[in-house]
Amino acid sequence: MRRMRVITLANQKGGVGKTTTAINLATALAAVGRRTLLIDLDPQGNASTGLGIDRDDREVSSYDVLMETASISDGAMMTAVPNLFVIPSTLDLLGLEAEISGATGRAYRLRDALHFHSIGDPQFDFVLIDCPPSLNLLTVNAMAAADSILVPLQCEFFALEGLSQLLQTVEQVRDTLNPALDLHGIVLTMFDGRNNLASQVVRDVRSYMGDHVYETIIPRNVRVSEAPSFGKPAILYDMKCSGSQAYIRLASEVIQRERRLTAA
Ligand code: ADP
Ligand code: MG
């Protein structure tokens, strides 16, 4: 039987590489035969667009799943990448918090949907959840539903400051909603080797977070930023570019860590 693993990509800062990492890590996992579902929980829908899903084609969305009017299987759409599926998002998500703010169990909507899906024979090996840039009810749902958290961190001056706030939230979610939540790892993104500050940030984050930090560092790479406008993961757009190669290495690290986490 398949064992489904749920990994949430979170960082309350925008523009740090959450969506780019979600798309390309999901693609790289799918490429090595892991059936993968990417759930887009950001109302902006960048992950959906980046995977080539037009707004008009988003008949069932993550909003419907959170409103409990659709199941995970109902929402999962095929993408151009074999083994990769996406539950797209729509702007409806913006209203979700207000709509369910009084409902009991509102933080568990996504967990329950995934749990229901995983009973019997789940379709997926990996579920990746792309979060909005805030610590709102959507992100809390994603953390409550996850086995572990993956944090994309941009190599810039304030990186560590934002990280400690995020880790506090993870701690709170562990204390209240999801005691089994692990920190899967921290991936440094948009690294520019010509910038001394970036190298210093890498050293600082490694000395503070130790082996929670993946060995793979994602370089800043134009090809990676061009790909979404073609509705393609960078790995399909230009597999040989340094960014794509880094995401392929990250996927194999993620799989190795998974083995360790699930064996423990
Ligand atoms: P987030 O989801 O955290 O807001 P994104 O993944 O959307 O961040 O990335 C923010 C911007 O940076 C996007 O325009 C994206 O194309 C660009 N970007 C992300 N990673 C890289 C990279 N490795 N090299 C160059 N540009 C990148
Ligand atoms: Mg994003």
Side-chain angles (χ1 to χ4, degrees), residues 5-36:
R5 295 287 292 172
V6 182
I7 302 178
T8 284
L9 288 95
N11 188 326
Q12 72 280 8
K13 280 192 80 169
V16 298
K18 287 182 291 298
T19 300
T20 305
T21 301
I23 291 174
N24 288 294
L25 177 59
T27 300
L29 290 168
V32 292
R34 303 303 200 281
R35 284 175 67 91
T36 302

Side-chain angles (χ1 to χ4, degrees), residues 13-20 40 42 44-47 130-133:
K13 280 192 80 169
V16 298
K18 287 182 291 298
T19 300
T20 305
D40 189 350
D42 187 341
Q44 294 205 28
N46 294 340
D130 187 28
C131 288

Side-chain angles (χ1 to χ4, degrees), residues 93-116:
L93 270 185
L94 285 172
L96 185 94
E97 186 137 13
E99 283 179 76
I100 67 172
S101 66
T104 51
R106 59 186 175 276
Y108 284 132
R109 293 284 176 103
L110 191 58
R111 183 197 68 172
D112 291 348
L114 285 166
H115 181 69
F116 180 76

Side-chain angles (χ1 to χ4, degrees), residues 13-20 190 218-221 224-225:
K13 280 192 80 169
V16 298
K18 287 182 291 298
T19 300
T20 305
M190 291 183 245
I218 311 298
R220 187 177 280 287
N221 178 222
V224 168
S225 57

Side-chain angles (χ1 to χ4, degrees), residues 61-89:
S61 69
S62 53
Y63 171 81
D64 301 309
V65 172
L66 289 165
M67 290 302 283
E68 300 177 325
T69 57
S71 69
I72 294 291
S73 313
D74 293 337
M77 295 179 69
M78 284 211 295
T79 69
V81 182
N83 291 324
L84 178 58
F85 297 75
V86 62
I87 300 184
S89 87

